[in-house]
Amino acid sequence: FAPQLAVCDMHPDYLSTHFARELNIPIIETQHHHAHIASCMAEYKIDEKVIGVSFDGTGYGTDGHIWGGEFFICDLNDFERVSHFEYIPQPGGDVVTKYPWRMMLSYMHHYFGNDAVDQFPSLFSNIDARELALVNEMLEKDINCPLTSSAGRLFDAVSALLNICKTARYHAEPPMRLESIAKNTSESYAFNTGEEINFKPTFEGILRDIDQKLDVGIISGKFHNTIVQIIIKTAQKISQQTGIKKVVLSGGSFQNRILLKKTEDSLKDANFAIFSQSAIPSNDGGIALGQLAIAAKRRELGLM
């Protein structure tokens, strides 16, 4: 057959993007997290504006930064980014996924300054001193530190902070282990909402609990509850401004059963209609369907 249109991710370095461009036919390049939301919308045959919550580890943003903690107002054609997790430097780029202690250091450096290692020596006691100094210098001088709003990197940082996983042996080990030790609690930590969601009060609360030797399972439970509270409050704010009552959850972070279940329950209690994925993977296994849904809609509207 002779293809007439190709759709791919907007990331300029993806092999699939290069392949699509080399076909010499019209192409549509989609934003990664918009495609996640669209994949869930396609699963449920939704074709209207929704509140999209897309949490995962990485994805190329329209501003050139790494996204992954995103709140959208979107339909199949386009999206508006309403709020997102605060940008944090990712020292060494993708290497942080193997060494989550780097993201812990980045958050600590961001919130507590250049001397965070000296302020909290016990957090860094089992990390190679030379490597620690090197990463600290990278952060101070902004060398190879792309910015990320990723939910996955936040979970990495907290997992390392609790000494659950400072060096990963397999993909997504830090958040998976953080989830596995979480204990049920009704408590959560403070945070600052707005166009950027700031976690300094969250980290201050976690550090207090560590200092008071609170069970790490309870701390993990409180952290999970904090993310759920952020989703609820942000969805309510968007709904008040727009009247939208449908919330679509997608992205690899929603494979976390605690995060998904508590988010769904809380959104239902707040009278939202919730859509999360089951027939289609919420991780990148479902991304192609979302890209196809966006391309089909834009073609239908004559926008390509």
Side-chain angles (χ1 to χ4, degrees):
F1 73 102
Q4 297 176 340
L5 176 66
V7 58
C8 62
D9 195 277
M10 65 183 288
H11 196 301
D13 295 330
Y14 277 3
L15 290 174
S16 53
T17 305
H18 287 296
F19 176 76
R21 288 174 177 173
E22 289 166 2
L23 292 173
N24 294 316
I25 59 174
I27 67 169
I28 291 173
E29 296 183 359
T30 64
Q31 200 282 319
H32 185 86
H33 301 95
H34 181 210
H36 269 310
I37 300 301
S39 72
C40 188
M41 293 174 70
E43 180 175 343
Y44 291 97
K45 297 180 171 58
I46 299 170
D47 188 6
E48 62 187 273
K49 284 200 182 296
V50 300
I51 299 168
V53 184
S54 187
F55 287 0
D56 65 4
T58 188
Y60 190 77
T62 55
D63 57 3
H65 298 317
I66 303 165
W67 290 8
E70 312 305 316
F71 292 89
F72 296 151
I73 297 169
C74 66
D75 53 24
L76 290 175
N77 173 44
D78 207 354
F79 69 93
E80 176 191 353
R81 190 190 195 201
V82 183
S83 184
H84 60 88
F85 288 2
E86 182 179 16
Y87 282 128
I88 302 292
Q90 188 171 302
D94 288 341
V95 75
V96 298
T97 60
K98 294 182 178 178
Y99 303 103
W101 66 262
R102 287 185 174 222
M103 280 312 299
M104 172 184 74
L105 175 57
S106 185
Y107 271 96
M108 296 296 288
H109 185 275
H110 183 72
Y111 291 141
F112 304 106
N114 292 343
D115 62 343
V117 175
D118 296 327
Q119 287 185 62
F120 305 95
S122 62
L123 298 178
F124 305 96
S125 59
N126 54 354
I127 298 167
D128 182 83
R130 287 174 299 177
E131 202 171 348
L132 192 59
L134 175 66
V135 176
N136 211 36
E137 190 174 2
M138 288 170 67
L139 290 165
E140 284 180 26
K141 296 180 178 178
D142 191 23
I143 298 168
N144 191 19
C145 286
L147 295 177
T148 181
S149 62
S150 164
R153 301 294 78 79
L154 172 65
F155 274 76
D156 284 352
V158 173
S159 186
L161 194 67
L162 299 182
N163 202 28
I164 295 164
C165 184
K166 284 184 171 152
T167 302
R169 295 163 297 176
Y170 51 85
H171 178 68
E173 181 185 5
M176 288 167 69
R177 291 183 63 183
L178 185 66
E179 174 192 359
S180 72
I181 62 120
K183 293 182 178 177
N184 196 31
T185 174
S186 59
E187 293 183 80
S188 59
Y189 295 108
F191 53 86
N192 297 319
T193 56
E195 187 178 335
E196 283 204 351
I197 295 155
N198 173 282
F199 290 96
K200 185 175 183 181
T202 310
F203 274 74
E204 289 172 338
I206 292 171
L207 289 168
R208 276 196 303 272
D209 282 348
I210 291 172
D211 193 48
Q212 293 169 9
K213 295 184 169 46
L214 185 67
D215 185 292
V216 289
I218 297 295
I219 298 175
S220 176
K222 289 173 70 173
F223 171 70
H224 279 81
N225 290 346
T226 304
I227 305 303
V228 173
Q229 286 300 310
I230 289 168
I231 295 171
I232 304 308
K233 289 190 183 305
T234 306
Q236 286 175 326
K237 186 177 180 181
I238 296 171
S239 182
Q240 286 164 5
Q241 294 169 347
T242 63
I244 299 170
K245 297 297 289 184
K246 288 184 177 178
V247 179
V248 173
L249 310 173
S250 189
S253 295
F254 285 108
Q255 293 176 115
N256 181 316
R257 71 191 190 285
I258 299 171
L259 180 63
L260 181 62
K261 177 75 165 63
K262 288 197 169 189
T263 299
E264 287 181 333
D265 290 347
S266 298
L267 285 169
K268 283 174 187 172
D269 290 344
N271 296 314
F272 284 99
I274 307 101
F275 300 89
S276 61
Q277 293 176 277
S278 57
I280 303 298
S282 64
N283 64 9
D284 286 0
I287 207 85
L289 175 63
Q291 292 170 341
L292 283 167
I294 293 166
K297 190 63 183 180
R298 290 183 185 170
R299 184 170 63 171
E300 178 189 312
L301 296 172
L303 298 174
M304 43 63 62

